[in-house]
Amino acid sequence: MSSTEEKGEVIEDVFETLGDELSRQTLAKATTETVTASSLADSFDVAPATVYRRLNQLADLGFINEVNDIREGPSSETGYQTDVDALVLLLSSNGFDVRRADNRLDAALSIFLDCTDVKKAEFSFEEGTATVTLSMDDDTLRQLHDSYREVQDEQRSLAETGSYQ
């Protein structure tokens, strides 16, 4: 099997898994607390076998990890926590690409660096600044400008109304 075929299967597995409501709810719940199969089965009113199948699918994709040190009392049930903070879905003429990121900044940079060429980067940790010189085609530059302005306008509007979410 070629790497393109393997990548296609992984993307298909990601779509199939994330297309399932129980999988999405499990990921969301396991981001804020350590969960067990029995606690999920009780919370979502489904059979434990169904929960274990979803947990295995999520673990196979690297979205969830087993946590062994949650034993409180006599129970020895395995706990689970979400092991991904951001997923990036890219759509292009070549099809789909799914990337996993440990945080939203990594996810955003992954997309941004795909369409730019970094010519120079300087970081001043003392001043808390980064100066980056980029090169990009005219369409990408125009999109960057427009997107930046939209975000700035939205932030300004939220600051004026005091309605942050």
Side-chain angles (χ1 to χ4, degrees), residues 14-151:
V14 168
F15 280 134
E16 183 178 321
T17 301
L18 295 180
D20 176 70
E21 181 69 22
L22 178 58
S23 295
R24 291 191 309 271
Q25 289 178 344
T26 298
L27 279 174
K29 191 166 181 95
T31 60
T32 58
E33 62 186 271
T34 300
V35 297
T36 63
S38 61
S39 70
L40 290 169
D42 291 344
S43 293
F44 303 132
D45 195 29
V46 295
T50 302
V51 172
Y52 276 112
R53 277 194 300 277
R54 297 315 187 279
L55 288 169
N56 287 333
Q57 290 168 331
L58 291 166
D60 288 346
L61 290 169
F63 294 164
I64 202 162
N65 277 333
E66 289 185 11
V67 179
N68 294 321
D69 296 331
I70 66 147
R71 294 175 181 90
E72 296 175 8
S75 175
S76 62
E77 190 173 7
T78 301
Y80 298 88
Q81 289 182 329
T82 301
D83 190 36
V84 62
D85 286 331
L87 288 175
V88 178
L89 171 64
L90 300 171
L91 173 63
S92 71
S93 59
N94 296 331
F96 290 101
D97 187 16
V98 177
R99 296 184 193 164
R100 179 177 178 248
D102 291 331
N103 58 60
R104 292 185 302 172
L105 180 59
D106 287 352
L109 282 173
S110 170
I111 295 169
F112 186 70
L113 293 175
D114 269 357
C115 56
T116 61
D117 181 18
V118 176
K119 297 294 185 187
K120 181 179 177 184
E122 295 176 2
F123 300 91
S124 173
F125 294 100
E126 297 82 26
E127 296 176 19
T129 62
T131 304
V132 182
T133 303
L134 306 166
S135 172
M136 62 194 79
D137 63 58
D138 290 343
D139 287 339
T140 304
L141 181 59
R142 201 170 341 284
Q143 288 174 353
L144 174 63
H145 173 267
D146 294 347
S147 295
Y148 177 77
R149 300 290 277 187
E150 281 182 34
V151 168

